[in-house]
Amino acid sequence: MIALLQRVREARVEIAGDTVGAIGPGLLALVCAERGDTAAEGDRLLAKLLRLRIFQDDAGKMNRSLQDTAGGLLIVSQFTLAADTRSGNRPSFTAAAAPDEGRRLYDAFVATARAAHPVVATGRFGADMQVHLVNDGPVTVPLRIAPALAVADVPPKHR
């Protein structure tokens, strides 16, 4: 799974002019499921996201996590994070999970986030959304969690 995190002072998602999700200070997480991802990758991504120390402490150092600050988390589905731009001028999105699988993984990610963190808001999977944010810093961090390899998938000389 892929996430693009933006530390924000505030963020909201609108659909057709209606706000469907909003937070104050915290993280905006644009999230994409890729082909081959499972809920396990979503769980690992969420754990990393919640503990990533990108908020300032009293000394001005990035030393606090979203959990430490109890900030908001706005989760927005964004399949375009899987864009392959290596060839030509039109991105390919074949690395993104199929829509039904992407929705299932997004919904599982959101449910786990809501169980683990007190302030979680979302966009709407597959909707035409307008995302508004006031970036704090700015601080923008990409995260990618690859599917774990089974022992049988690892060549013998690397075991």
Side-chain angles (χ1 to χ4, degrees), residues 9-146:
R9 293 189 182 203
E10 62 184 54
R12 73 180 187 283
V13 177
E14 293 179 358
I15 299 173
D18 293 327
T19 299
V20 297
I23 61 167
L27 284 180
L28 166 62
L30 305 173
V31 177
C32 173
E34 294 181 284
R35 292 188 186 280
D37 282 345
T38 66
E41 283 79 40
D43 292 348
R44 290 180 19 233
L45 182 72
L46 180 66
K48 181 77 169 181
L49 176 160
L50 292 174
R51 292 192 304 260
L52 195 64
R53 297 184 328 182
I54 59 173
F55 292 88
Q56 293 181 349
D57 62 15
D58 293 337
K61 304 280 186 195
M62 286 199 294
N63 205 24
R64 298 180 72 207
S65 70
L66 187 65
Q67 287 180 324
D68 295 333
T69 66
L73 174 60
L74 178 57
I75 304 169
V76 177
S77 62
Q78 179 99 29
F79 81 93
T80 60
L81 290 175
D84 182 350
T85 59
R86 293 175 292 180
S87 177
N89 294 318
R90 183 175 182 187
S92 169
F93 300 106
T94 57
D100 288 347
E101 185 65 4
R103 179 185 304 272
R104 186 185 70 73
L105 291 168
Y106 173 78
D107 289 345
F109 185 85
V110 168
T112 304
R114 286 189 168 136
H117 194 70
V119 181
V120 176
T122 67
R124 190 173 303 142
F125 186 91
D128 180 15
M129 297 176 277
Q130 290 71 52
V131 180
H132 304 263
L133 68 132
V134 177
N135 203 318
D136 184 15
V139 173
T140 302
V141 177
L143 289 181
R144 175 176 247 142
I145 301 294

